[in-house]
Amino acid sequence: MASTVTTEPSQHPAAAPRPGYGQLLRTRGAWTFLLPGFAARQPFAMLTISIVLLVQHTTGSYGAAGAAAAVTGVSMALFAPYSGRLADRHGQRAVLVPGVLVHTLSGLALTALALAHAPLWALFAAAVPTGASVPQIGPMVRARWGARLQDSPLMSTAAAFESVTDELTFVFGPLLATALCTTVAPAAGLVTEAALTLAGGLLFAARKSTQPQVTGTGHARVRHASALRVPGVRVLAVAFLGIGSVFGGMQVSLAAFTESIGEPGLNGVLYGTFAAGNMLSGIVCGALAWKAAPHRRLLVGYAALALTASALWTSHSVLVLAGLGLLVGMCIAPALITGYTLVESLVPAGARTEAFTWLTGAVALGQAAAVTVAGQLEDRLWGGAGFLVPMAGTVLALVTLLALRSRLVTRPRNRTVARGVGHRVPVTVD
């Protein structure tokens, strides 16, 4: 005689609406942090290009401009994870308010020093606090989504939505910064970036009700363990370094290319095309119901990114460069979205803000290295040599992903294991 024991509800979930953007945006309280979050992250897309254009104008060297921007990026990469850890421990508002004040003041100091033709070491000295205090709005918004959605299927949609939002800022940010620097004044981009950071950051910090709860003292061990100790996070950081090399290499090389043809105003248009491809593919990724495992999607998407980025240096016309830039942008979003999605399954909730900032910092570090190397290549070699940087960065990162892909595989959280952790799934007994 067989007796049947009822299985857990999770084994046979009730039919639910297909996760999508509409359902995501109906999440209670979402708009209270989405709108100020969008305003607060807009300046981030303006920072590097504003520094490059200002310092190149005052020094006449793309190498010096790239180096100043690189110091900012390295500083941000080093301090961003610490900022994320502090936000996990003490709350986002406690980190944001002093951070935006420091960033505004140091950004204005960097502007003044550049206009005064200060030596390069002085620009570096001002660039360090400017980068270290960049508000980590994107990771903080993602952490708020995580707190709202918990382990909902909508988390993947939220990751896609945030990637689209990031890229929307990279459509408008470089366009705005380039327009200000080329039509108003070379310093206008950086001054505007500082002002928007102050206003947007304080507005976002004021939304205290939606920030993740600070973990209590009973979870001190979880809070104090670095997210970088998770092997998968280290692998993702390498992948994001490669993505940063694309951003940095494109910014310097596009600026050099458009100046060489006498059309510096096209710089923002070409970079905007690149970012638009990223945004459009992000929208599509978030709307699809994926069957492939996230780590497999990351490998396929990253291979496509490395392939398209490797063709950039061959372009010699605006139309060809715009087309290739669009394709490269379309390949970046799937990699970013999948990487952030993997964090949700690899990292405990109490350390996710820090994990997100490690990835954001990796992008900044890759961008910093790329603008430095690309600037030197543009100064010393042929026009367009800077496009070799995205090729090298993505190919090396792809090799690392392939070699360490097993570290990105996550175990199902509700599966019964041999050691008896968790509850066993009841079965039919004869």
Side-chain angles (χ1 to χ4, degrees), residues 44-134:
F44 179 74
M46 301 173 62
L47 181 60
T48 299
I49 190 64
S50 295
I51 294 174
V52 168
L53 293 176
L54 172 60
V55 177
Q56 194 279 331
H57 173 80
T58 57
T59 64
S61 169
Y62 279 104
V71 171
T72 305
V74 170
S75 179
M76 192 196 93
L78 293 176
F79 283 89
Y82 183 65
S83 172
R85 189 179 303 180
L86 288 176
D88 283 330
R89 293 181 184 179
H90 305 293
Q92 295 181 357
R93 188 172 186 271
V95 176
L96 271 174
V97 173
V100 296
L101 294 175
V102 172
H103 183 78
T104 301
L105 293 175
S106 56
L108 294 177
L110 176 58
T111 304
L113 289 170
L115 292 176
H117 299 279
L120 197 56
W121 65 264
L123 299 183
F124 290 168
V128 170
T130 300
S133 57
V134 170

Side-chain angles (χ1 to χ4, degrees), residues 22 29 145 219 230 273 312 378 399:
W145 275 124
H219 299 276
V230 178
T273 302
L312 285 169
E378 291 291 346
V399 171

Side-chain angles (χ1 to χ4, degrees), residues 4 17 23 33-34 43 64 81 116 135 170 178 180 188 277 295 322 332 335 348 371 383 414 419 424 426-427 429:
T4 303
Q23 185 180 351
F33 64 84
L34 283 181
F170 276 97
T178 302
L180 290 170
H295 69 282
I332 283 182
V371 294
N414 295 325
R419 295 179 182 177
R424 295 184 179 272
V427 296
V429 180

Side-chain angles (χ1 to χ4, degrees), residues 83 133 140 155 221 225 305 348 358:
S83 172
S133 57
M140 289 181 179
M155 278 307 307
R221 181 173 298 178
L305 174 60
W358 274 114

Side-chain angles (χ1 to χ4, degrees), residues 174-347:
L175 283 173
L176 177 60
T178 302
L180 290 170
C181 291
T182 57
T183 63
V184 179
L190 201 51
V191 171
T192 303
E193 187 274 340
L196 289 176
T197 297
L198 179 63
L202 292 179
L203 183 62
F204 182 78
R207 309 307 305 177
K208 295 173 58 178
S209 61
T210 57
Q211 72 175 5
Q213 292 185 353
V214 178
T215 308
T217 56
H219 299 276
R221 181 173 298 178
V222 175
R223 292 190 292 111
H224 284 261
S226 172
L228 198 61
R229 295 180 62 184
V230 178
V233 173
R234 297 196 292 269
V235 177
L236 289 174
V238 173
F240 278 53
L241 277 169
I243 292 174
S245 74
V246 177
F247 287 126
M250 291 283 282
Q251 286 180 340
V252 172
S253 302
L254 288 176
F257 175 80
T258 53
E259 183 175 331
S260 70
I261 64 173
E263 296 289 346
L266 287 177
N267 178 29
V269 176
L270 288 174
Y271 196 85
T273 302
F274 157 71
N278 197 344
M279 181 181 66
L280 292 174
S281 65
I283 293 173
V284 174
C285 285
L288 294 176
W290 296 97
K291 294 183 179 180
H295 69 282
R296 297 184 185 277
R297 300 204 311 266
L298 179 61
L299 291 174
V300 173
Y302 215 95
L305 174 60
L307 180 63
T308 53
S310 296
L312 285 169
W313 70 275
T314 65
S315 57
H316 300 288
S317 71
V318 172
L319 289 179
V320 172
L321 190 54
L324 284 173
L326 182 68
L327 290 176
V328 172
M330 292 177 68
C331 294
I332 283 182
L336 284 172
I337 291 168
T338 310
Y340 282 123
T341 302
L342 282 168
V343 168
E344 296 294 334
S345 55
L346 290 170
V347 182

Side-chain angles (χ1 to χ4, degrees), residues 19-32:
Y21 292 116
Q23 185 180 351
L24 177 71
L25 295 178
R26 288 193 294 272
T27 301
R28 184 177 179 182
W31 286 104
T32 63

